[in-house]
Amino acid sequence: DSGVTQTPKHLITATGQRVTLRCSPRSGDLSVYWYQQSLDQGLQFLIQYYNGEERAKGNILERFSAQQFPDLHSELNLSSLELGDSALYFCASSATSGTPTYEQYFGPGTRLTVT
Amino acid sequence: TQLLEQSPQFLSIQEGENLTVYCNSSSVFSSLQWYRQEPGEGPVLLVTVVTGGEVKKLKRLTFQFGDARKDSSLHITAAQPGDTGLYLCAGETSGNTPLVFGKGTRLSVIA
């Protein structure tokens, strides 16, 4: 158990809909990262928050957005869903950001299926 | 463009065999991490290497960071079925950049 929790575990929805994925980082971790994992693309970095502020952006679509709340939990919002958005979505947290090395601890993921 | 290339993509071996998987790049990394991921679960951090030429051992797993900090290898001795999983390497190019992940090596160890 990494200490990172994600809900829900599974999500099935229709095209055009909007969903929210939730992540609670390990106790004390200030950084939260969101990743998308599909079979053909591997693990793709979407976005990072550090203590409530956006720190880095990766391959995140404009239809997707995220935020980190004062209690440090984070939500990833996916809207106007398309079939190609079906994937595993992982959240990870780390204790530090901006130092030479930082180690990320991953949650169990949310499997999103868009039908 | 995939910054980190992992090879082989798939590997199926018998229990007790040794194996090495590779993580290569043309970029220099300030650190490199190895993760193992089992089906339906998140990646689990195995090790972080930060110094060129560094070797770290974790039981039967030996990790090496290349002298130029552009590549890494993972060697498993006497593989066991419990080693089965997706092995991912991830590199950090500088202190303020996100990790870049390779696509992984999917290992299957058959009893």
Side-chain angles (χ1 to χ4, degrees), chain A:
Chain A
D1 185 354
S2 67
V4 178
T5 60
Q6 289 187 248
T7 57
K9 181 75 172 172
H10 301 278
L11 198 48
I12 301 175
T13 189
T15 54
Q17 295 297 305
R18 172 190 169 94
V19 297
T20 297
L21 313 183
R22 183 188 169 101
C23 166
S24 291
R26 292 187 316 162
S27 178
D29 283 359
L30 300 180
S31 276
V32 169
Y33 311 79
W34 286 98
Y35 293 88
Q36 179 192 59
Q37 187 178 40
S38 58
L39 282 175
D40 57 341
Q41 291 295 319
L43 201 60
Q44 297 287 314
F45 168 71
L46 296 178
I47 197 164
Q48 176 199 356
Y49 278 82
Y50 177 76
N51 202 20
E53 300 286 328
E54 182 183 303
R55 177 59 65 98
K57 238 177 182 178
N59 301 319
I60 187 166
L61 300 172
E62 286 190 9
R63 300 183 286 108
F64 297 179
S65 65
Q67 54 185 328
Q68 186 180 26
F69 295 87
D71 67 353
L72 301 178
H73 91 271
S74 178
E75 293 181 356
L76 178 66
N77 300 295
L78 315 176
S79 62
S80 302
L81 285 167
E82 302 175 359
L83 295 177
D85 297 326
S86 295
L88 275 166
Y89 290 84
F90 288 103
C91 165
S93 73
S94 69
T96 59
S97 176
T99 58
T101 64
Y102 53 94
E103 296 176 341
Q104 296 186 19
Y105 295 86
F106 283 77
T110 293
R111 180 175 292 280
L112 173 66
T113 303
V114 183
T115 61

Side-chain angles (χ1 to χ4, degrees), chain B residues 5-23:
Chain B
E5 299 287 342
Q6 290 192 245
S7 62
Q9 190 177 356
F10 299 96
L11 187 57
S12 181
I13 62 170
Q14 295 291 321
E15 182 177 3
E17 291 184 359
N18 301 332
L19 66 112
T20 302
V21 298
Y22 301 92
C23 174

Side-chain angles (χ1 to χ4, degrees), chain A residues 9 35 37 39-45 48 55-56 88 90 97-109 111, chain B residues 2 30-31 33 35 37 40-45 47-50 86 88 92 94-99 101-103 106:
Chain A
K9 181 75 172 172
Y35 293 88
Q37 187 178 40
L39 282 175
D40 57 341
Q41 291 295 319
L43 201 60
Q44 297 287 314
F45 168 71
Q48 176 199 356
R55 177 59 65 98
L88 275 166
F90 288 103
S97 176
T99 58
T101 64
Y102 53 94
E103 296 176 341
Q104 296 186 19
Y105 295 86
F106 283 77
R111 180 175 292 280
Chain B
Q2 186 67 31
S30 57
S31 71
Q33 301 174 14
Y35 292 80
Q37 184 179 16
E41 299 182 10
V44 175
L45 178 66
V47 77
T48 301
V49 286
V50 299
L86 178 67
L88 296 162
E92 176 191 4
S94 68
N96 286 310
T97 58
L99 288 177
F101 280 82
K103 290 192 176 183
R106 194 166 296 279

